[in-house]
Amino acid sequence: VDANAQTEKPLQIAIVSPIQIYGEDISIKGFRLNLIYGDNENVTGLDLGIINAVGGDMDGVQLGVFSIAEGNLHGWQWSLVNWVEGDGEGVQLSSFFNNAGAFEGLQFGIVNNVGTLDGVQIGILNMANEGHGLQIGLVNIFRSKEKFTFLPIVNWSF
């Protein structure tokens, strides 16, 4: 018997975790609907709701008001606030705030923050500790650069 088959389910509906079909320790591979707040170990597929929380990795699309992945993201987050504790690869679209430990791809929002950037940030305030990429916005900060750490309109590090 495959151990993942026991801990992976194809559908989750949550009102407020822990009031959901499966517990937080179960991974979802398919579709998860979070009417208010849902929390699962890993999610692969479509994660839709007000507050989408993943204790591990998110692979797929998260759409909501707050989307959180405590592990890594491979895919797309489109929420008011997008938060990835680990590394992200793909796209973060936000009307307000995007954050990731490291990010490869595009961050687009009012405020974008990342530890290591390998891609593009577009917003009013763009911040990266280090990396290779392009920032387009009113305030652009690459903390690791020796010169021109801050530049308005466009900043880069290659």
Side-chain angles (χ1 to χ4, degrees):
V1 176
D2 183 6
N4 284 339
Q6 307 254 337
T7 60
E8 244 179 34
K9 304 296 180 185
L11 174 69
Q12 172 75 297
I13 298 174
I15 297 173
V16 176
S17 181
I19 303 170
Q20 52 190 35
I21 296 173
Y22 302 106
E24 295 174 0
D25 59 333
I26 300 296
S27 293
I28 304 304
K29 189 170 187 177
F31 176 69
R32 184 172 75 156
L33 177 62
N34 308 302
L35 299 174
I36 298 174
Y37 167 71
D39 192 0
N40 285 99
E41 184 59 32
N42 299 294
V43 175
T44 301
L46 178 60
D47 194 13
L48 179 64
I50 295 174
I51 301 172
N52 308 312
V54 179
D57 294 338
M58 174 65 211
D59 294 304
V61 177
Q62 279 186 312
L63 302 170
V65 178
F66 296 96
S67 292
I68 303 152
E70 292 181 27
N72 299 316
L73 166 74
H74 299 281
W76 178 33
Q77 286 181 318
W78 189 3
S79 302
L80 183 66
V81 175
N82 297 309
W83 190 277
V84 177
E85 288 286 327
D87 299 340
E89 183 178 305
V91 177
Q92 284 184 316
L93 298 175
S94 167
S95 57
F96 185 67
F97 186 73
N98 294 310
N99 183 78
F103 202 81
E104 182 177 336
L106 171 67
Q107 284 186 318
F108 186 93
I110 294 172
V111 177
N112 299 302
N113 183 58
V114 69
T116 302
L117 175 65
D118 194 6
V120 177
Q121 290 178 316
I122 300 172
I124 293 175
L125 173 60
N126 299 304
M127 299 173 289
N129 290 338
E130 60 185 6
H132 299 37
L134 179 66
Q135 297 172 319
I136 301 169
L138 189 60
V139 176
N140 303 293
I141 300 167
F142 258 113
R143 293 180 186 96
S144 65
K145 287 176 60 175
E146 289 184 28
K147 291 185 178 181
F148 304 113
T149 301
F150 159 77
L151 284 173
I153 311 305
V154 177
N155 199 355
W156 61 91
S157 177
F158 294 104

